[in-house]
Amino acid sequence: MTERRTKRNTYVKSENEFKKIKRETNFKTHEISDEVKKFIKTLHIADDDPALGIMWNDEILIELIRRINNGEIIDLPERPNYIYTNTITAFKDGIIAHLGEFGGGCRYNFIAPNDMDQYGDVLTRLRDIELNPFIQVLRQHIDHSLAYCVKIADKKNVTLVPINRRAPPHPYLQVFD
């Protein structure tokens, strides 16, 4: 395995070491409502029609939005037109809707169904969001990533598995694991 940079910009050399760090810094397990499970089971997804899910770190987002709205984070670069900072819901929905424009649509925290080209476009746009100066300034004010990305491995049992995304190049911080 080649060296990988974690969200804290430390390098690890083995997959086991990476998984251990990922486990130690992972967010709380997300409970998926019955309504979302029902939606996932209706999706047409397969290896060549993947669905992307974004599991948000709500505790971090609540604190971040509070700090923005209280003027505690100053000198912010221009905000992209799809990112709203008035509420946590608006923040998440804006990003999901933006990504959905490049994929097969969006609902809840999922962009699906996608053909392989759309899936690639969504991951590219996700990286564009991650590297945006506004998002990078926000990321400097928090200790963890805003969210982690998953794909649906088994829609019958609603099994979600993390997507192993590469960390952005130095000096950028990882926003979406």
Side-chain angles (χ1 to χ4, degrees):
M1 175 181 157
T2 59
E3 287 188 340
R4 293 177 77 166
R5 190 158 42 112
T6 67
K7 62 182 126 192
R8 296 186 190 248
N9 288 330
T10 56
Y11 287 90
V12 295
K13 294 188 181 209
S14 74
E15 190 66 28
N16 286 338
E17 186 179 357
F18 180 76
K19 286 177 183 175
K20 180 180 179 224
I21 290 170
K22 189 117 173 128
R23 247 189 335 270
E24 290 171 354
T25 59
N26 218 353
F27 309 141
K28 288 191 240 177
T29 303
H30 279 78
E31 292 296 320
I32 299 175
S33 72
D34 290 339
E35 181 181 1
V36 174
K37 287 179 182 176
K38 188 185 232 182
F39 162 70
I40 289 171
K41 290 177 181 185
T42 67
L43 290 173
H44 171 73
I45 54 173
D47 287 342
D48 58 348
D49 296 308
L52 174 75
I54 298 184
M55 308 314 278
W56 296 97
N57 186 341
D58 286 339
E59 290 176 10
I60 294 285
L61 278 173
I62 289 167
E63 178 62 17
L64 186 62
I65 297 297
R66 184 197 63 75
R67 291 177 66 194
I68 292 168
N69 291 329
N70 288 343
E72 296 174 32
I73 300 176
I74 55 173
D75 297 327
L76 282 169
E78 185 176 339
R79 176 182 57 80
N81 63 358
Y82 54 86
I83 295 179
Y84 308 97
T85 58
N86 49 339
T87 68
I88 183 176
T89 301
F91 184 89
K92 294 189 296 188
D93 289 351
I95 290 176
I96 294 290
H98 177 69
L99 293 172
E101 292 175 13
F102 299 95
C106 59
R107 189 157 179 211
Y108 304 109
N109 289 328
F110 292 92
I111 298 93
N114 304 300
D115 61 29
M116 290 308 287
D117 289 337
Q118 289 171 320
Y119 186 71
D121 287 347
V122 169
L123 291 177
T124 299
R125 299 303 171 220
L126 192 64
R127 178 53 51 106
D128 292 346
I129 293 169
E130 187 167 56
L131 298 180
N132 180 279
F134 180 84
I135 294 293
Q136 281 295 306
V137 168
L138 294 182
R139 176 60 179 86
Q140 291 169 10
H141 290 273
I142 57 176
D143 292 332
H144 298 283
S145 299
L146 295 177
Y148 65 97
C149 300
V150 297
K151 65 180 178 178
I152 301 168
D154 174 7
K155 74 177 187 178
K156 180 180 176 191
N157 297 311
V158 190
T159 304
L160 306 177
V161 295
I163 296 172
N164 290 321
R165 296 184 64 248
R166 293 184 186 269
H170 181 74
Y172 296 101
L173 299 171
Q174 191 155 6
V175 176
F176 302 101
D177 279 337

